[in-house]
Amino acid sequence: MAFEKRFVALVGLPGSGKSTIGRHLARRLGVPFQDSDHVIEQRIGCSIRTFFEREGEERFRDLEQQVLAELTTGSGRGVLSTGGGSVLREANRVQLKQHCQVIYLRALPEDVYRRLRHDRNRPLLQVDDPLQRLKDLFAARDPLYRDAAHYVVDTGRPSVATLVNMIMMQLDLGSSPGPSAAGEAPSPVAS
């Protein structure tokens, strides 16, 4: 593996493809795959939605921060899919950027809506206007995803295999970020 850090972390909106692409990327790299949301659910013994309703967002974010710290400082190598809101805390953005090569899977709200409009398991979309909700999330979180990321990859309509190839090309470039696979300038690397 050409990347300097032991972990690759995927960030992006819910439904941007982090889990699907993460599994394929991990297979390609020959490393384990972990989904932080699944780790949290295993730990709490219920769905995140239930925990969120019962304990509140602040308690969930505390647990999420603890799990991300544990997953990104472990031994070995791996690919990590993060929760869509993991970047809301600055501590998580710093943790991810310091310990992982962070790839922002940038998906436009319209693309996410098209993929998930019939999904009833996503609490964020169980509102009167799910597309507007996604637009609001994108507006609020896009700068935070960029802040955490070393590279930005627009997911748009490419196949999973194409997206994995694009990410592999970025990782093979080594540790200094160049233009993203989407042709955008990446977020500056924190010193």
Side-chain angles (χ1 to χ4, degrees):
M1 269 182 275
F3 57 97
E4 69 174 35
K5 297 181 180 166
R6 294 178 300 135
F7 298 95
V8 175
L10 303 176
V11 299
L13 283 177
S16 61
K18 298 181 300 288
S19 294
T20 301
I21 292 166
R23 277 188 205 89
H24 287 271
L25 180 62
R27 244 183 261 125
R28 179 93 173 264
L29 292 169
V31 298
F33 169 76
Q34 290 194 306
D35 182 314
S36 65
D37 282 349
H38 291 154
V39 171
I40 291 169
E41 287 180 337
Q42 288 174 341
R43 187 167 294 183
I44 60 178
C46 64
S47 71
I48 287 175
R49 180 180 187 168
T50 300
F51 186 84
F52 215 92
E53 291 168 357
R54 189 178 62 219
E55 303 285 334
E57 181 174 4
E58 193 65 23
R59 177 69 186 107
F60 170 74
R61 297 296 172 200
D62 290 343
L63 181 57
E64 180 179 55
Q65 183 175 339
Q66 177 187 349
V67 167
L68 285 174
E70 290 170 13
L71 292 174
T72 58
T73 55
S75 61
R77 294 182 177 269
V79 173
L80 173 65
S81 169
T82 64
S86 63
V87 297
L88 294 174
R89 285 199 172 170
E90 182 179 7
N92 291 343
R93 296 191 306 272
V94 169
Q95 177 74 18
L96 289 169
K97 197 155 192 173
Q98 286 180 350
H99 295 278
C100 306
Q101 288 292 100
V102 183
I103 310 291
Y104 169 24
L105 297 179
R106 185 175 177 273
L108 295 176
E110 295 79 8
D111 292 333
V112 173
Y113 179 71
R114 208 172 15 259
R115 288 181 210 147
L116 299 181
R117 66 183 175 269
H118 301 297
D119 188 336
R120 299 291 171 237
N121 296 320
R122 306 249 181 188
L124 290 172
L125 298 182
Q126 306 314 307
V127 295
D128 290 337
D129 188 350
L131 178 56
Q132 186 57 51
R133 175 75 172 129
L134 287 167
K135 288 178 180 180
D136 294 344
L137 284 173
F138 182 82
R141 294 180 181 179
D142 181 65
L144 302 176
Y145 293 133
R146 289 177 183 278
D147 182 50
H150 293 97
Y151 304 103
V152 176
V153 175
D154 277 317
T155 61
R157 295 195 182 263
S159 68
V160 170
T162 300
L163 290 168
V164 169
N165 286 337
M166 292 165 73
I167 293 168
M168 289 296 294
M169 286 176 19
Q170 291 303 318
L171 296 175
D172 285 342
L173 291 176
S175 62
S176 77
S180 76
E184 298 179 11
S187 303
V189 176
S191 303

